Amino acid sequence: MQDNLSLDIIDHNRQAWDRQASNDCAWSRPVTPELIAAARAGQWQARLTPGDLPKGWLPDVKDKTILCLASAGGQQAPILAAAGGEVTVFDLSEGQLDQDRLVAEREGLSLEVVQGDMRDLSVFPDGSFDIIFHPISNLYVPDVQPVWRECHRVLKAGGRLLASFYNPVVFIGDRDPSYAEQDLIRPAYKLPFVEAEHLSPDLVRSKIERGEALVFGHSLADQIEGQLRAGFVLAGFHEDWQPSPRFLVDRFVPTFIATCAIKSDLNLRRE
């Protein structure tokens, strides 16, 4: 992959999500006025995975300070703001953030919008938030530990981190469609998975030319034990199915995972 060694994957992914936002992709489609009206009336649901949140994970958000981390797109943040939260949405993509600005202006919502890298939340002081809502997005960075450390730092004691990510089994299979056509899953890649290195140069080049984001597949140890290492206490675990299977394994395993973690009053951080 000599021709891609100089590729800045983070900047490439920023541009890819700007493009997704302009193309009205599923995660860049602003919520409707009807959903905002329902949220203002107390009928709302923010989604970490395609299905509903487990009961009790996100209680009354009224007057709670909430960071929607790497989750712009005009969806979760406006819903939580309409439900009464004091919401900040933080994302790498200005195009995605524009969708939140659009809904906030359209609906008269108070919503703070900040552009930046999820691994660096230095713009926020320690203990700034009651809740962090972090739906599937850390597959776009090579190392998730900085994300967990920063989440722990900016949460108040007793605050909660709601995060979701893919079961890493989705990253290990050969992408050749002929295997799926035969109902075969051929393991081909070890974790941690780095798309820019593990896929063939032609496949990587094709994704880059199409402007698609490049991803990283993190282990469950990085995703879950990494939160514990940062000082969190795990309070909930949830699996969910892919409603529109992209890979054969999606038909057999619930490939969405979500966690509810609490910042303890005790210093539990492990280096």
Side-chain angles (χ1 to χ4, degrees):
M1 285 302 300
Q2 183 67 38
D3 57 343
N4 286 325
L5 285 177
S6 62
L7 176 70
D8 182 336
I9 292 181
I10 301 301
D11 188 62
H12 168 78
N13 286 347
R14 177 189 59 77
Q15 294 180 57
W17 275 103
D18 284 348
R19 189 173 293 105
Q20 291 267 35
S22 66
N23 291 337
D24 190 40
C25 83
W27 294 105
S28 305
R29 197 165 297 142
V31 292
T32 64
E34 291 77 15
L35 285 174
I36 295 296
R40 282 177 161 144
Q43 302 297 317
W44 58 274
Q45 179 66 245
R47 299 189 185 280
L48 278 176
T49 66
D52 293 345
L53 281 174
K55 187 176 181 179
W57 275 29
L58 195 58
D60 184 13
V61 298
K62 186 172 174 57
D63 298 327
K64 294 289 193 297
T65 52
I66 303 171
L67 175 64
C68 287
L69 179 61
S71 64
Q75 298 180 0
Q76 294 94 357
I79 289 289
L80 293 169
E86 299 177 12
V87 180
T88 298
V89 56
F90 184 95
D91 201 280
L92 188 65
S93 164
E94 282 287 358
Q96 285 285 89
L97 290 167
D98 282 343
Q99 305 297 71
D100 292 280
R101 294 184 180 102
L102 182 154
V103 179
E105 182 175 354
R106 186 190 74 201
E107 304 293 339
L109 295 170
S110 177
L111 189 64
E112 184 175 359
V113 175
V114 182
Q115 192 274 338
D117 186 322
M118 70 181 88
R119 298 168 297 174
D120 179 8
L121 303 181
S122 56
V123 67
F124 305 118
D126 296 358
S128 294
F129 300 100
D130 297 300
I131 298 165
I132 295 177
F133 198 82
H134 179 50
I136 296 171
S137 55
N138 64 31
L139 73 164
Y140 299 112
V141 295
D143 182 6
V144 296
Q145 200 59 46
V147 179
W148 302 140
R149 285 197 300 265
E150 282 290 81
C151 285
H152 189 270
R153 182 185 65 79
V154 302
L155 273 175
K156 300 174 183 177
R160 64 180 60 198
L161 165 66
L162 304 184
S164 60
F165 39 88
Y166 286 114
N167 185 321
V169 71
V170 302
F171 298 105
I172 68 171
D174 194 307
R175 307 292 177 86
D176 188 332
S178 66
Y179 291 111
E181 291 167 3
Q182 301 173 68
D183 284 342
L184 295 176
I185 300 171
R186 177 182 177 271
Y189 309 114
K190 288 186 176 181
L191 295 174
F193 174 75
V194 181
E195 195 167 45
E197 297 175 5
H198 288 173
L199 296 190
S200 71
D202 285 345
L203 283 176
V204 175
R205 192 175 300 111
S206 177
K207 289 200 71 170
I208 292 171
E209 289 172 353
R210 293 195 303 269
E212 296 179 11
L214 295 170
V215 304
F216 302 85
H218 305 295
S219 69
L220 288 178
D222 286 338
Q223 297 282 21
I224 298 174
E225 201 272 338
Q227 295 183 46
L228 305 180
R229 196 183 316 139
F232 286 102
V233 175
L234 197 65
F237 180 90
H238 176 66
E239 292 180 304
D240 201 0
W241 293 88
Q242 169 64 266
S244 303
R246 295 178 56 206
F247 305 111
L248 185 59
V249 70
D250 290 320
R251 304 179 195 171
F252 301 96
V253 177
T255 48
F256 289 101
I257 293 175
T259 54
C260 175
I262 307 297
K263 179 175 178 176
S264 172
D265 291 332
L266 303 175
N267 182 9
L268 301 176
R269 182 168 173 173
R270 289 182 277 157
E271 299 299 335

